[in-house]
Amino acid sequence: MSPAPANPVFCALDTVDLRQALDWGRAVKPFVGGLKIGLEFFNANGPEGVKAVVALGLPVFADLKLHDIPNTVAGGVRGIMPLGVAILNIHASGGPAMMRAAADEARKAGSKRMKIIGVTVLTSLDDQDLHATGVAGNAEDQVLRLARLAKDSGLDGVVCAAHEIAPLRATLGRDFMLVVPGIRPVGADLRDQKRVMTPFEARALGADILVVGRPVTAASDPAAAARTIRDELFPHAA
Ligand code: C5P
């Protein structure tokens, strides 16, 4: 019998409140594969807060989107590695030297190292916003260009929108991690996410990690909400 597939759902703990983040983490732990912390949490709680989330015992994705000169980003990677997070992201638009410096730094930790993934084009930017910043093509072309550059620069994957999963898989192959936010379980409130997909659809298209925040953390019972998503993905685990 083949091993059970890993649960791809990472729950976004978007809060400044450490106790709240740990309560959510403990509640959803049996039903998710990992946890995500972002700038909101990191700026309020710092490295000690990250360590407390890591201590819950699930892989942690630090969504800190580093972007600076190569030497400084490599230093940022070096600084976060001892905290034990599994995944860190950086902006692919920082360029190949920056991405290479981050990837090389992470690789110094050996086989159980932290993975580094790229952010391509923020989903808040449309074609016009990109033109205003000097990017001539459309957002979709820019996403593909930056994702290819991220792979060629030694990164382990990219964050992408659900509708980008299929073209990125087709272009970059199987061995490249696709981390997908904007996931909404069947019947969920969309809130400010416009282009969403269900966990099952995103997984079927080839997403490796599904980031789900408010459908779980804003639910009256976060554990039950996480369990419903787990059961949709793995009907036989129920
Ligand atoms: O609450 P919700 O499920 O919308 O949370 C999604 C998480 O993924 C948030 O932490 C958000 O910052 C992050 N994210 C996103 N859209 C992107 C990139 C990251 O929603 N394009």
Side-chain angles (χ1 to χ4, degrees), residues 12 14 36 63 65 123 181 184 193 211-215:
D14 289 323
K36 179 176 94 77
D63 182 9
K65 300 188 178 71
T123 45
R184 289 292 175 266
Q193 299 279 15
V211 175
V212 185
R214 290 160 295 176

Side-chain angles (χ1 to χ4, degrees), residues 173-203:
R174 189 52 239 169
D175 191 23
F176 196 59
M177 195 191 297
L178 298 183
V179 176
V180 184
I183 297 296
R184 289 292 175 266
V186 181
D189 183 351
L190 300 191
R191 298 186 182 253
D192 53 358
Q193 299 279 15
K194 292 190 185 110
R195 307 183 76 163
V196 299
M197 216 175 253
T198 68
F200 192 85
E201 289 167 333
R203 185 70 170 147

Side-chain angles (χ1 to χ4, degrees), residues 26-138:
R26 283 188 207 100
V28 304
K29 184 175 172 182
F31 311 114
V32 301
L35 303 169
K36 179 176 94 77
I37 52 109
L39 273 183
E40 179 178 351
F41 178 85
F42 187 77
N43 288 349
N45 298 291
E48 290 308 314
V50 177
K51 279 194 219 167
V53 173
V54 168
L56 293 175
L58 286 173
V60 173
F61 167 22
D63 182 9
L64 301 181
K65 300 188 178 71
L66 307 191
H67 189 168
D68 210 312
I69 59 170
N71 188 54
T72 300
V73 167
V77 169
R78 200 157 50 243
I80 202 165
M81 277 200 292
L83 307 185
V85 305
I87 306 170
L88 171 73
N89 59 4
I90 66 177
H91 272 283
S93 54
M98 189 198 90
M99 288 191 276
R100 178 62 63 193
D104 287 351
E105 193 62 42
R107 285 201 167 81
K108 288 181 187 166
S111 59
K112 286 204 149 180
R113 69 181 175 84
M114 178 174 77
K115 301 266 194 286
I116 310 270
I117 62 174
V119 175
T120 57
V121 177
L122 294 171
T123 45
S124 50
L125 300 177
D126 60 19
D127 291 353
Q128 263 186 330
D129 295 322
L130 282 181
H131 296 165
T133 65
V135 174
N138 61 32

Side-chain angles (χ1 to χ4, degrees), residues 2-25:
S2 57
N7 187 326
V9 175
F10 274 49
C11 181
L13 307 176
D14 289 323
T15 173
V16 293
D17 183 343
L18 176 60
R19 187 187 299 210
Q20 174 71 87
L22 296 177
D23 283 350
W24 283 335

